[in-house]
Amino acid sequence: TLPYFYILDAVHAFILQNDTLIYGGDNFCGSTTPCNLRKYNIKTRSPINWNVTSPDYGSIRHIALSPDSAVLMYGGAHIGVSEEFIRGVNNKWGTLLYQIDLSSYWPSGHHSALLKGLKSVGDKMYAAGVFAHVLWHDDVFFKKGFFAFDARTGYIYPEDLGLDGNAYFLEAN
């Protein structure tokens, strides 16, 4: 058994960074502390006291790191609504650096978007899924099913694949 390993109702994503397991999933752990994104030292077999400063109690389904591991990106759904997001946080302190919201029906609201993939290639991050609009700061971008963004800042790159439909998976090397 793993002592003090925070058990989630379901783990949907994880990534290994040196001796640290970063994992996310559903938050049904009976705690008032955000528990859907956690860190665990596999070498010392102990949890790492780390929390994001702008928690969301929804489900985390995708995790990625910037090339220098300074930014931890995670994606999932806000609790209680069918709204998907990507957040970039300082990997050491958990402070929010940026948030990108996804929507299928903007400007009528953030509805029915699904993030299906989140991958990095160099300093660029790629996101794929069921969405038509990407919201970053006060800007709305038409990005059907796929877009690229800067891992450190969340800046949305202008390139567009011009997809007719949605992307249901993402592989990158």
Side-chain angles (χ1 to χ4, degrees):
T1 65
L2 299 172
Y4 308 111
F5 188 79
Y6 294 108
I7 302 298
L8 302 178
D9 188 54
V11 173
H12 298 294
F14 66 90
I15 192 167
L16 190 60
Q17 178 194 14
N18 302 321
D19 295 332
T20 301
L21 175 68
I22 305 168
Y23 62 103
D26 292 334
N27 68 330
F28 306 116
C29 59
S31 171
T32 57
T33 302
C35 59
N36 55 347
L37 187 61
R38 294 287 190 177
K39 290 186 176 185
Y40 183 85
N41 186 304
I42 59 173
K43 191 172 186 177
T44 63
R45 301 177 67 176
S46 59
I48 297 171
N49 187 15
W50 179 89
N51 282 308
V52 293
T53 57
S54 59
D56 190 283
Y57 296 88
S59 182
I60 303 297
R61 290 192 291 278
H62 303 279
I63 298 174
L65 287 169
S66 63
D68 62 1
S69 298
V71 179
L72 171 67
M73 288 143 291
Y74 62 96
H78 295 290
I79 194 162
V81 294
S82 59
E83 178 182 322
E84 297 274 319
F85 65 86
I86 298 169
R87 286 190 177 143
V89 297
N90 180 292
N91 192 21
K92 184 174 183 180
W93 306 110
T95 52
L96 181 67
L97 301 172
Y98 60 84
Q99 177 167 320
I100 300 169
D101 289 308
L102 308 175
S103 174
S104 291
Y105 306 106
W106 186 259
S108 63
H110 311 288
H111 300 290
S112 303
L114 294 171
L115 181 63
K116 294 292 191 174
L118 184 64
K119 302 284 183 184
S120 67
V121 178
D123 286 343
K124 265 189 188 175
M125 290 299 301
Y126 295 93
V130 179
F131 53 83
H133 301 93
V134 176
L135 295 79
W136 176 68
H137 291 231
D138 292 328
D139 297 321
V140 179
F141 303 88
F142 181 77
K143 300 285 185 177
K144 179 88 172 168
F146 177 87
F147 70 98
F149 65 98
D150 185 274
R152 290 183 182 87
T153 66
Y155 170 79
I156 308 298
Y157 289 113
E159 63 235 36
D160 189 356
L161 293 179
L163 298 178
D164 290 335
N166 294 299
Y168 289 89
F169 70 94
L170 177 63
E171 282 300 321
N173 291 320

